[in-house]
Amino acid sequence: MAATIKDIAKMAGVSPATVSRVLSNQREFYSEKTAKKVRDAAKQLGYQRNTSAVELVTRKSRVIAVLVSSTQTNFSNPILNGIQQQAEAHNLSVMIIFAGENKPEMQEKALQTVIERSVMGILLVAVDLDPTNNALLESANIPFIFISMTMKNANFPFISSNDFDIGYQATKYLIKKGHTKIGFAGTDLNSFVGNLRFEGYRDAMRDNQLARKAEWVCGGHFTYEDGLKAMRQYGQKTELTAVIASSDLVGIGILNQANQYGIRVPGNLAILTVDGTQLCDIVRPKLSSVTQSFFEMGVKGMDMLVSESIKEFYSMYTPINIVERESV
Amino acid sequence: MAATIKDIAKMAGVSPATVSRVLSNQREFYSEKTAKKVRDAAKQLGYQRNTSAVELVTRKSRVIAVLVSSTQTNFSNPILNGIQQQAEAHNLSVMIIFAGENKPEMQEKALQTVIERSVMGILLVAVDLDPTNNALLESANIPFIFISMTMKNANFPFISSNDFDIGYQATKYLIKKGHTKIGFAGTDLNSFVGNLRFEGYRDAMRDNQLARKAEWVCGGHFTYEDGLKAMRQYGQKTELTAVIASSDLVGIGILNQANQYGIRVPGNLAILTVDGTQLCDIVRPKLSSVTQSFFEMGVKGMDMLVSESIKEFYSMYTPINIVERESV
DNA sequence: AACAATATCACAAACGTTTGTGTAAATGGG
DNA sequence: CCCATTTACACAAACGTTTGTGATATTGTT
């Protein structure tokens, strides 16, 4: 049905080889006169190149696969926007695949599909890859980078915030504001990033000679409900004067539950959230945050993937900065 | 580098044809004995099929392209989740491409890339296709469906809420609650959906013998800032007792600006938003909404695309329902 | 035991490109 | 005007599959 390169060749009276070279602008192979004939014929036939054929023969594709964990934290959007922007700049296509909620089998299936397509690179956004899939990812010989997720297995390249630093800076900031009893809510200490942040929190407390209590830290997975739950665990008469929320949504959960308890924010309780998305600006009081550079993660991730230098497993941190709003 | 079907054939001592048929389970073509040899060899070689080659020869692909307008309204996530769920059910891959902020050239480029890939179907999520691209979309002979966007050009199949009904039901609901002076904020009346919703609003007012004023309706594009702006336009001493917000974010903008004016919600001003995402639940007061079935749109869209019956341009509405929370 | 029917497999063409190489025509220098 | 160089193009192989058809071996029927 669709027109092929041969149809164009016939119409223009040249060989398919010439058509191919004209259409991909290999200047030293054709004269302008035949080039025009070819281009006219192509337009007239409504030619669209067949990407499968191209990728088959060239043995590489111009698509970047993005695996994103479907645990819907809202920060994946700015990351994807960054990725998309750079993809356009490099004239690449982006294939986004939801890798499920970090279930090993779903991850494996997602990996299979992208490897079959022999994509030119893989970006893993916020996916906590199960160790059983490590081998599969490596065996494909496709460059990959983790975004917004650092791995215990330090051999994998990543672009992310420094999670230890997030915990440390957040705590230090609150201490500087005069707080001594500081909660830590909404993240699973068994997860790698959760643990890193906690260590930052712990060290900052220690470095300032502040005691901690086990009940000040609450688990969770970055959700709004985790925030509500954390505040309920702290209770109406909590001794805490400040709390670090693992995400904006957690922060909002804490805020709402605190208000319900009659605890005023920031009067009775300061809240500092991690992420700093638009959500911080649309609630009242606006939430102060440790803001991550999500858009930049996407940009840098894509850039690193197309650069040749990823051969040596190179990782980097994107900056974090504390944005003061109204909640501390 | 990577193992091919021929390598397997050699190792198993059979022909490539047999390997192909074993691997794709064409039962009537091989014995279990050779099948086992083939499968063992495949596993041992770490075989991954080459999708390009498959698609080239079969002349069809198992990927659905999703074009999504990057005007980041937050409702695209549930739609994408619905799409993704059904894609898995049908064993399809999903390729997501951001089509820019409804700029004609970006739309064209996005369309080109998916057509080149000869995807098996195209889902256009919230993209307001420029008429200049209509021909391109149609010429590709690839089934497509618009999601959450109805077109003036009625010949294109879509899945969406009934926007007239959204306007009508929202207005009717507020009238039933005793309101007579009702604002309409955050949508561009020149857009097709904006206009439809406005007509619903207008007709509901008329059907209830209520007068309207031009200054009660404010334009915009569903953003938080549009909400702030609308409320500022209404002013601190507005006569309005209720307002319909074109999105949750617009509703929150109105809410925050109203609070700043000392206008109490819902005491002095009722707010009814359109969309009904999680945002409605995390602000205080919680926002009542005309809730759309976004997830279902994704599910139905994918289902329609794979069903054969889309040949005749079939469109459908997904249900809307009013969820009462605390803002009216 | 002979023949038909079936099961199992191999051959080879085809999908639409890209690209190395061969070759005829055009150009240039002297 | 002759030979060397360059320009402009065509030929054909290759990429990794799928699939129609033909060939051989196996089974079944009488």
Side-chain angles (χ1 to χ4, degrees), chain A residues 14-15 17-18 21 30-31 34 56-57 59:
Chain A
V14 297
S15 77
T18 301
R21 295 195 237 245
Y30 54 86
S31 68
T34 63
L56 178 58
V57 61
R59 278 128 118 226

Side-chain angles (χ1 to χ4, degrees), chain A residues 15-293:
Chain A
S15 77
T18 301
V19 174
S20 170
R21 295 195 237 245
V22 167
L23 261 28
S24 49
N25 286 317
Q26 310 201 52
R27 299 256 174 83
E28 58 277 32
F29 277 98
Y30 54 86
S31 68
E32 260 317 308
K33 201 180 71 180
T34 63
K36 179 165 164 35
K37 281 193 300 185
V38 168
R39 283 193 265 261
D40 287 350
K43 184 168 294 178
Q44 189 174 337
L45 291 171
Y47 172 73
Q48 299 278 357
R49 59 204 287 237
N50 183 318
T51 311
S52 304
V54 175
E55 292 183 354
L56 178 58
V57 61
T58 62
R59 278 128 118 226
K60 60 180 104 138
S61 80
R62 296 195 62 78
V63 2
I64 299 288
V66 181
L67 300 201
V68 11
S69 100
S70 62
T71 30
Q72 282 303 355
T73 31
N74 57 311
F75 62 72
S76 40
N77 273 340
I79 297 180
L80 291 176
N81 285 337
I83 291 174
Q84 183 69 19
Q85 174 189 293
Q86 288 318 95
E88 276 162 23
H90 295 292
N91 195 27
L92 262 26
S93 296
V94 174
M95 177 170 215
I96 301 179
I97 289 163
F98 288 81
E101 300 160 9
N102 293 330
K103 296 284 165 236
E105 324 82 43
M106 305 240 29
Q107 291 178 347
E108 182 182 348
K109 198 178 153 206
L111 276 176
Q112 293 276 7
T113 37
V114 308
I115 292 175
E116 279 185 5
R117 296 207 101 72
S118 60
V119 295
M120 94 181 260
I122 305 177
L123 256 20
L124 300 101
V125 174
V127 358
D128 195 357
L129 196 70
D130 191 271
T132 58
N133 290 321
N134 284 357
L136 179 58
L137 178 57
E138 279 185 301
S139 71
N141 265 340
I142 299 176
F144 61 89
I145 298 175
F146 285 82
I147 296 186
S148 184
M149 176 63 69
T150 53
M151 307 286 290
K152 235 165 307 201
N153 186 331
N155 274 344
F156 287 171
F158 64 83
I159 295 181
S160 143
S161 299
N162 182 328
D163 282 294
F164 175 88
D165 218 34
I166 286 179
Y168 196 93
Q169 297 298 335
T171 312
K172 190 172 134 193
Y173 173 77
L174 289 172
I175 293 172
K176 194 177 295 176
K177 290 291 182 180
H179 296 281
T180 57
K181 300 181 174 179
I182 300 172
F184 185 85
T187 184
D188 180 8
L189 292 200
N190 295 322
S191 75
F192 191 58
V193 315
N195 190 53
L196 278 177
R197 291 187 187 176
F198 172 75
E199 287 176 355
Y201 161 76
R202 183 196 61 195
D203 287 8
M205 293 293 273
R206 184 201 58 201
D207 292 353
N208 290 273
Q209 291 84 38
L210 293 176
R212 287 181 294 107
K213 291 190 184 172
E215 62 262 33
W216 290 354
V217 1
C218 291
H221 296 278
F222 311 106
T223 70
Y224 176 69
E225 282 71 25
D226 290 331
L228 294 175
K229 214 180 332 172
M231 193 63 222
R232 290 199 197 105
Q233 183 177 320
Y234 294 145
Q236 191 155 9
K237 329 188 75 61
T238 180
E239 57 182 335
L240 294 175
T241 65
V243 50
I244 299 169
S246 65
S247 77
D248 296 335
L249 276 173
V250 169
I252 296 174
I254 292 173
L255 171 65
N256 286 344
Q257 186 62 47
N259 278 336
Q260 185 153 334
Y261 282 156
I263 300 173
R264 302 304 301 171
V265 175
N268 303 328
L269 183 72
I271 299 178
L272 183 64
T273 77
V274 175
D275 281 354
T277 66
Q278 189 192 21
L279 289 177
C280 293
D281 280 312
I282 68 176
V283 294
R284 294 297 178 266
K286 296 178 188 172
L287 295 177
S288 298
S289 67
V290 179
T291 298
Q292 302 195 62
S293 310

Side-chain angles (χ1 to χ4, degrees), chain B residues 250-296:
Chain B
V250 169
I252 296 174
I254 292 174
L255 171 65
N256 286 345
Q257 186 62 48
N259 277 336
Q260 185 153 332
Y261 281 156
I263 299 173
R264 304 302 300 169
V265 175
N268 303 328
L269 184 72
I271 299 178
L272 183 64
T273 77
V274 175
D275 282 354
T277 66
Q278 190 192 20
L279 289 177
C280 293
D281 280 312
I282 68 176
V283 294
R284 293 295 177 267
K286 296 178 189 173
L287 294 178
S288 298
S289 68
V290 180
T291 298
Q292 302 195 62
S293 310
F294 292 119
F295 185 83
E296 189 179 345

Side-chain angles (χ1 to χ4, degrees), chain B residues 15 72 90 115 127 139 150 161-162 172 200 205 216 246 259 278:
Chain B
S15 78
Q72 282 303 355
H90 295 291
I115 293 175
V127 358
S139 70
T150 53
S161 299
N162 183 330
K172 190 173 133 192
M205 294 292 274
W216 291 353
S246 65
N259 277 336
Q278 190 192 20

